[in-house]
């Protein structure tokens, strides 16, 4: 549960400790693979800072422990008051799961609908909404590359050696690197461990991907490397795109992005002549200038070359639970920002709260997310969250966000309840794993499904008599339950609004000790079986009930859909089942690249800071105990030798990094991987942690002490975290705390942790 892969693991427990961990060979996706991070999970499970009681903020700002009944009653009453005074749509929901815990969020909908809440967001709104906006127009769904079988793998601002994100990433990368018949193209300003394996490393200047990608696509068009048969049969709107790409001055754009033209052309030819190509774009472009345009351009690479619906290529895929709302684009109440995929851009959250606008958000529930640390401009987020009438945080730990809350509710850990990830993104075989609890909940904590059920009960919106027939049917078995469920929902629309609650209350008790939280999967299994009947049957599940039973029984995970390659076309949502290639706004932006600036730095902030790089010892904000790290304990600032020398920095010394938003101090790592003008800091650092003696440690820099909310994409509002103009200065030795550097604790504290 440390990245979206959620590799299957087998653990040996020793009391409440996870004593030994290995990859689970029976897991259908990870097949025994795990990265280094998974072996450190006991630092999550047995973090000494875990919460064990509901907390209520006192007038003096401290917290007092209260019992669950009091907490639930007061929280439900508090949100009901906001609903009555200002409307339920003023209650905002942020989060719903990290990388591996999406079951809790599945239950939140019942309470939120019951209270009338409308606006929600989570971390996807600071990375994937621009890509989603492009995807919707092109073909209507999310695509994923089949890297395991791709002849050519293309990584655009993506470092899977460190960040994984697709099954068995390092094994697959090594296989590609070793095979002379296969190639890897990496577009990244940094010589990452992935780039080291690449056949074509297009080492762009930071933030210039749009020029690089435009030139690559232009080579495909001008050197006749497009798949004409595919385009004629399966794509509409090709001509305007081709015309726009013919106008791209390839040599000039290669120069602008800093890539040798011959290398760029060679990479395009490799893509254009391969039997199969898969492309992965990630934060290096999604959190950088021109991000939505880049999402469009990198998809042109595989669409123009017909790399869809065949082995090793790009695919639409089934989904067990939709990560994105299907609703169209709306607007946020205060700033009028676009709501893509149902998500308020993370970057505008402070402005939607901290204002006297009558429609401002007044109450907020944060579940399994730490926006005071993970969203741009932590100071602005803190000020906004502090101004709320009611903030409730559901987490396992006292996070930076929890410390701003009126109430903090302690969740059972992901090993103390049924859990699952909804990042099920593979094709042709897509997998799902329901993980069973391996420990009872830590005393004082509750699993989220129970928390949400208690909140719904406290609102008094469901008549318990209406649930009785369902409870009886559930005792009889799933077929009887399905029948009773359809009848109950048809007869009582109020039940339809709180479905997860209904499932939890009626089916949940029949699922066995500690397993009630799996009940929502019954509804999702029915939907999945209806959405992809053939693919679910091919995977061996006759119907929704059979799929649900297989999920309950398959401890190591199951394959829930098995598609034929040609069915990719059926997954296109346009009526003609063709890819619609023309996106006029983005073609206008493509043309505008001719005069657009390639650098956004200034004399005051002359360097580009990538704030939040994935490294061997980063795992978002999930592992808070710094002792999980055996290296890079401070989260070093990486900088080129040339810049270090000019600034007067030495390896292991200290530097001050300043941006428009703030300033922080870090340990320096002089690195060949960085190009001059570019520095990087890791994500997931600057988290506050109390050690056994009650001393606070905050190793490394909280990256969002240095980022700004207005530094974001025009379409999706996604932040440009990878491209923050910055200044770096040496910290004089006399100003250093003794022992600063590797292993230091308090000395590295950044402004972000408050
Ligand atoms: N170890 C580890 N793995 C993780 C996570 C973690 O915290 N730790 N988090 C998970 C999550 S939530 C996510 S979203 C993924 C993210 O996975 P990635 O997107 O792979 O992670 P990053 O390292 O943030 O960024 C990727 C690359 O972008 C490059 N980059 C910076 N600026 C530019 C630019 O201007 N252009 C280009 N082309 N590249 C640029 C960086 O050098 C870096 O190599 O990782 C997941 N996996
Ligand atoms: N500057 C900068 N900022 C970034 C990024 C960057 O690269 N640079 N990356 C962005 C990206 S891609 C992402 S995905 C976000 C991630 O940022 P967030 O959305 O804040 O998510 P996580 O860091 O995964 O935090 C997960 C939270 O869930 C809690 N938790 C763990 N298990 C449970 C559980 O069982 N129940 C409950 N209720 N809580 C639990 C953890 O304690 C933690 O507080 O950060 C984003 N922020
Ligand atoms: Mo992410």
């Amino acid at each position: 549960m440390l990245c979206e892969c959620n590799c299957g693991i087998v653990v040996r427990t020793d009391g409440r400790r996870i004593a030994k961990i290995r990859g689970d060979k029976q897991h259908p996706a990870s097949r025994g693979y795990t990265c280094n991070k998974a072996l450190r999970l006991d630092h999550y499970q047995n973090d000494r800072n875990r919460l064990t009681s509901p907390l209520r903020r006192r007038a003096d700002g401290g917290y007092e422990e209260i019992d669950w009944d009091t907490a639930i009653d007061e929280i439900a009453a508090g949100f009901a008051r906001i609903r009555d005074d200002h409307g339920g749509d003023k209650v905002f929901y942020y989060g719903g799961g990290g990388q591996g815990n999406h079951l809790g969020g599945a239950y939140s909908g019942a309470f939120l609908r019951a209270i009338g809440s409308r606006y929600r967001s989570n971390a996807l709104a600071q990375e994937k909404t621009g890509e989603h906006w492009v995807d919707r127009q092109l073909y209507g769904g999310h695509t994923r590359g089949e890297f395991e079988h791709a002849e050519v793998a293309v990584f655009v601002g993506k470092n899977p050696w460190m960040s994984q994100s697709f099954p068995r990433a390092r094994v697959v990368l090594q296989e590609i690197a070793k095979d002379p018949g296969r190639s890897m193209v990496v577009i990244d300003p940094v010589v990452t461990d992935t780039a080291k394996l690449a056949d074509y490393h297009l080492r762009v200047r930071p933030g210039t991907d749009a020029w690089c990608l435009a030139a690559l696509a232009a080579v495909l068009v001008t050197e006749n490397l497009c798949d004409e048969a595919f385009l004629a049969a399966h794509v509409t709107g090709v001509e305007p795109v081709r015309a726009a790409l013919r106008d791209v001055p390839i040599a000039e754009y290669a120069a602008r992005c800093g890539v040798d033209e011959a290398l760029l052309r060679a990479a395009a030819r490799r893509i254009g002549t391969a039997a199969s190509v898969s492309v992965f774009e990630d934060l290096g472009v999604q959190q950088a200038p021109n991000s939505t345009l880049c999402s469009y351009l990198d998809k042109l690479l595989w669409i123009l070359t017909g790399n869809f619906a065949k082995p090793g290529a790009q695919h639409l895929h089934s989904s067990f639970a939709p990560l994105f709302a299907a609703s169209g684009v709306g607007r946020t109440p205060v700033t009028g920002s676009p709501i893509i995929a149902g998500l308020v851009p993370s970057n505008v959250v402070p402005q939607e709260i901290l204002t006297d606008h009558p429609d401002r958000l007044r109450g907020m529930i944060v579940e399994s997310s730490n926006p005071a640390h993970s969203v741009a401009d932590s100071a602005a987020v803190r000020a906004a969250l502090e101004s709320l009438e009611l903030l409730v945080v559901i987490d396992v730990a006292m996070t930076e966000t929890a410390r701003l809350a009126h109430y903090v509710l302690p969740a059972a850990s992901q090993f103390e309840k049924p859990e699952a990830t909804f990042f099920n993104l593979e094709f042709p075989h897509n997998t799902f794993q329901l993980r069973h609890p391996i420990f009872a909940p830590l005393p004082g904590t509750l699993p989220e499904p129970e928390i949400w059920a208690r909140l719904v009960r406290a609102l008094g919106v469901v008549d318990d008599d209406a649930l009785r027939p369902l409870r009886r049917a559930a005792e009889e078995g799933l077929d009887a339950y399905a029948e009773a469920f359809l009848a109950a929902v048809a007869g009582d629309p109020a039940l339809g609004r709180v479905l997860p609650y209904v499932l939890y209350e009626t089916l949940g008790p029949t699922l066995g000790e500690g397993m009630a939280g799996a009940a929502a999967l019954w509804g999702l299994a029915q939907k999945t079986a209806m959405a992809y009947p053939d693919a679910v049957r091919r995977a061996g599940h006759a119907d929704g009930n059979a799929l649900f039973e297989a999920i309950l029984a398959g401890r190591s995970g199951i394959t829930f859909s098995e598609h034929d390659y040609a069915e990719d076309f059926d997954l296109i949502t346009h009526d003609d089942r063709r890819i619609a290639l023309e996106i006029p706004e983005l073609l206008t932006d493509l043309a505008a690249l001719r005069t657009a600036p390639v650098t956004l730095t200034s004399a005051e902030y002359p360097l580009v800071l990538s704030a939040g790089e994935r490294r061997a010892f980063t795992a978002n904000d999930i592992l808070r105990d710094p002792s999980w790290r055996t290296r890079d304990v401070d989260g070093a600032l990486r900088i080129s030798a040339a810049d270090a020398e000019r600034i007067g920095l030495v390896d292991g010394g200290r530097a001050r990094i300043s941006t428009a938003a703030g300033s922080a101090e870090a340990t320096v790592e002089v690195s060949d991987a960085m190009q001059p003008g570019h520095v990087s800091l890791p994500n997931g650092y600057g988290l506050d942690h109390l050690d056994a003696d009650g001393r606070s440690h905050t190793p490394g820099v909280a990256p969002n002490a240095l980022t700004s909310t207005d530094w974001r994409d025009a379409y999706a509002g996604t932040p440009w975290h990878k491209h923050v103009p910055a200044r770096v200065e040496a910290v004089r030795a006399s100003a250093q705390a003794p022992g600063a550097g590797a292993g230091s604790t308090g000395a590295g504290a950044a402004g972000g942790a408050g």
Side-chain angles (χ1 to χ4, degrees):
M1 26 65 93
L2 297 174
C3 86
E4 61 264 50
C5 287
N6 281 225
C7 296
I9 54 173
V10 177
V11 303
R12 190 196 298 150
T13 57
D14 174 10
R16 286 193 68 92
R17 300 201 74 79
I18 303 178
K20 219 170 155 55
I21 301 177
R22 65 169 170 81
D24 180 3
K25 295 199 175 75
Q26 308 299 319
H27 189 281
S30 59
R31 294 186 264 155
Y33 175 92
T34 69
C35 71
N36 65 308
K37 303 189 298 299
L39 308 179
R40 318 288 289 168
L41 280 169
D42 194 58
H43 289 268
Y44 161 80
Q45 171 61 22
N46 285 303
D47 188 326
R48 72 174 80 254
N49 289 182
R50 277 191 61 187
L51 296 163
T52 54
S53 168
L55 301 173
R56 179 175 60 198
R57 193 157 81 210
R58 290 190 307 249
D60 69 4
Y63 285 88
E64 63 195 355
E65 298 191 350
I66 54 173
D67 62 63
W68 273 101
D69 288 345
T70 306
I72 295 290
D73 285 350
E74 292 186 9
I75 291 167
F79 286 122
R81 204 173 316 118
I82 292 177
R83 173 197 62 197
D84 296 344
D85 292 352
H86 307 287
D89 60 342
K90 309 302 181 301
V91 176
F92 180 51
Y93 176 65
Y94 195 95
Q99 302 290 301
N101 56 320
H102 297 136
L103 259 184
Y107 291 91
S108 63
F111 178 78
L112 294 170
R113 267 190 296 277
I115 207 90
S117 165
R118 265 187 68 194
Y119 298 103
R120 59 185 284 253
S121 192
N122 59 44
L124 292 170
Q126 60 168 326
E127 45 173 326
K128 299 285 176 275
T129 37
E131 182 181 26
H132 178 87
W133 188 81
V134 170
D135 281 343
R136 263 182 83 87
Q137 298 179 70
L138 291 176
Y139 30 68
H142 180 260
T143 67
R144 189 35 100 72
E146 193 186 342
F147 294 95
E148 194 178 355
H149 300 124
E151 182 180 317
V152 172
V154 183
F155 298 110
V156 187
K158 172 73 193 167
N159 179 15
W161 187 267
M162 282 306 170
S163 65
Q164 314 284 332
S165 302
F166 58 85
R168 302 165 57 250
R170 287 189 179 186
V171 175
V172 171
L173 293 175
Q174 272 166 331
E175 280 170 2
I176 298 172
K178 272 199 302 237
D179 186 340
R182 303 170 74 187
S183 297
M184 198 189 301
V185 178
V186 171
I187 306 180
D188 199 307
V190 175
V191 186
T192 61
D193 293 279
T194 307
K196 282 180 195 154
L197 297 174
D199 302 273
Y200 304 85
H201 179 197
L202 308 186
R203 199 179 179 191
V204 288
R205 287 196 196 101
T208 62
D209 295 81
W211 287 272
C212 181
L213 293 163
L216 284 169
V219 174
L220 296 176
V221 167
T222 56
E223 295 194 14
N224 298 318
L225 294 164
C226 298
D227 182 339
E228 296 303 335
F230 177 85
L231 294 177
H234 300 299
V235 186
T236 59
V238 178
E239 280 325 307
V241 174
R242 233 197 276 257
L245 290 171
R246 266 194 217 103
D247 284 346
V248 167
I250 295 168
E252 187 189 326
Y253 280 19
R256 285 209 203 175
C257 66
V259 176
D260 175 58
E261 184 190 344
L263 177 66
L264 189 147
R265 283 185 184 272
R269 288 175 196 140
R270 187 68 185 93
I271 292 168
T273 55
S276 61
V277 177
S278 284
V279 180
F280 204 129
E281 63 158 87
D282 215 340
L283 303 184
V285 285
Q286 292 180 344
Q287 296 186 338
N290 299 306
S291 47
T292 299
L293 175 60
C294 286
S295 293
Y296 183 48
L297 294 173
D298 70 54
K299 287 166 205 317
L300 294 183
L301 300 181
W302 59 263
I303 297 172
L304 289 172
T305 53
N307 278 292
F308 181 67
K310 63 181 183 182
Q314 205 73 15
H315 305 293
L316 288 159
H317 54 79
S318 57
S319 67
F320 186 74
L323 288 167
F324 293 112
S327 65
V329 175
R331 296 270 159 191
T332 62
V334 174
T335 62
S337 303
I339 294 176
I340 298 175
L343 301 175
V344 171
S346 304
N347 274 48
V348 306
V349 167
Q351 288 112 295
E352 299 290 328
I353 296 171
L354 196 54
T355 162
D356 53 12
H357 193 288
D359 294 332
R360 68 184 177 275
L361 302 171
R362 294 166 183 265
M364 182 166 170
I365 308 175
V366 177
E367 179 181 3
S368 193
S369 186
N370 189 10
H373 185 268
S374 62
V375 169
D377 196 344
S378 302
V381 176
R382 259 198 318 272
L385 267 48
E386 275 170 347
S387 78
L388 287 164
E389 287 170 30
L390 180 57
L391 172 62
V392 174
V393 170
I394 306 173
D395 205 296
V396 294
M398 196 67 185
T399 63
E400 287 66 23
T401 310
R403 262 171 252 162
L404 306 168
H406 298 93
Y407 295 87
V408 183
L409 298 179
S413 85
Q414 297 181 44
F415 302 112
E416 298 167 349
K417 64 197 174 201
E419 257 306 355
T421 185
F422 293 157
F423 289 128
N424 320 109
L425 312 172
E426 300 301 316
F427 183 99
H429 306 274
N430 208 351
T431 66
F432 182 83
Q433 185 190 13
L434 170 64
R435 305 191 302 263
H436 292 225
I438 55 177
F439 303 111
L442 189 65
T445 68
L446 287 177
E448 289 84 347
E450 177 64 25
I451 297 175
W452 289 113
R454 291 187 186 193
L455 285 168
V456 170
R457 252 177 255 144
L459 285 181
V461 287
V462 181
D463 177 3
D464 209 59
D465 285 346
L467 301 180
R468 212 159 292 145
L470 283 170
R471 288 203 176 99
R472 257 198 317 271
E475 296 290 345
E476 287 169 39
L478 290 181
D479 289 332
Y481 186 75
E483 212 170 293
F485 184 83
L486 293 176
V489 172
D492 186 352
L495 288 186
R497 274 203 301 275
V498 291
L499 282 186
Y501 171 77
V502 173
L503 291 169
Y504 180 77
E505 290 287 301
T506 60
L507 184 60
T510 68
L511 298 178
E513 174 77 20
M515 291 299 289
L521 299 177
W522 180 83
L524 293 168
Q526 307 302 324
K527 275 199 201 165
T528 301
M530 278 192 274
Y532 323 99
D534 296 336
V536 169
R537 257 195 305 274
R538 254 182 244 126
H541 317 293
D543 57 16
N545 280 346
L547 176 57
F548 179 61
E549 282 176 333
I551 286 170
L552 289 176
R555 292 291 295 264
S556 292
I558 60 148
T559 298
F560 71 87
S561 67
E562 194 180 316
H563 274 101
D564 288 340
Y565 283 96
E567 286 172 342
D568 256 336
F569 294 110
D570 303 335
L571 294 171
I572 298 175
T573 58
H574 303 313
D575 288 339
D576 62 1
R577 302 288 176 254
R578 289 175 183 220
I579 297 173
L581 203 59
E582 183 186 4
I583 302 182
E585 299 95 314
L586 294 179
L587 291 178
T588 303
D589 290 1
L590 172 61
L593 286 178
R594 274 174 177 274
T595 51
V598 285
T599 53
L600 299 172
T601 51
S602 62
E604 192 182 3
Y605 300 114
L607 301 172
V608 172
L609 166 70
S610 286
E613 179 180 73
R614 271 66 186 163
R615 296 183 185 168
F617 286 96
T618 72
N620 286 3
D621 291 2
I622 304 165
L623 290 168
R624 296 184 65 88
D625 177 353
S627 72
W628 84 279
R629 299 186 177 106
T630 59
R631 281 183 282 125
D632 200 20
V633 289
D634 264 355
L637 176 79
R638 292 192 177 149
I639 187 166
S640 69
D643 285 333
E645 193 184 310
R646 187 173 46 77
I647 299 167
L649 299 174
V650 293
D651 198 63
R654 301 281 293 173
R656 174 152 293 281
I657 311 121
S658 305
T659 66
S663 159
E665 234 185 270
T667 299
V668 173
E669 181 185 328
V670 178
S671 168
D672 293 343
M674 304 304 295
Q675 56 177 275
H678 189 202
V679 297
S680 96
L681 282 169
N683 72 319
Y685 282 71
L687 295 172
D688 189 69
H689 195 263
L690 296 180
D691 69 13
D693 302 326
R695 278 183 318 207
S696 171
H697 299 253
T698 314
V701 176
N704 289 309
L706 300 170
T707 58
S708 302
T709 54
D710 58 358
W711 197 241
R712 62 180 195 246
D713 181 76
Y715 293 92
T718 43
W720 296 346
H721 288 327
K722 302 293 178 229
H723 202 90
V724 182
R727 184 174 67 245
V728 174
E729 293 148 311
V731 175
R732 280 176 301 113
S734 59
Q736 282 185 37
S744 82
T745 48

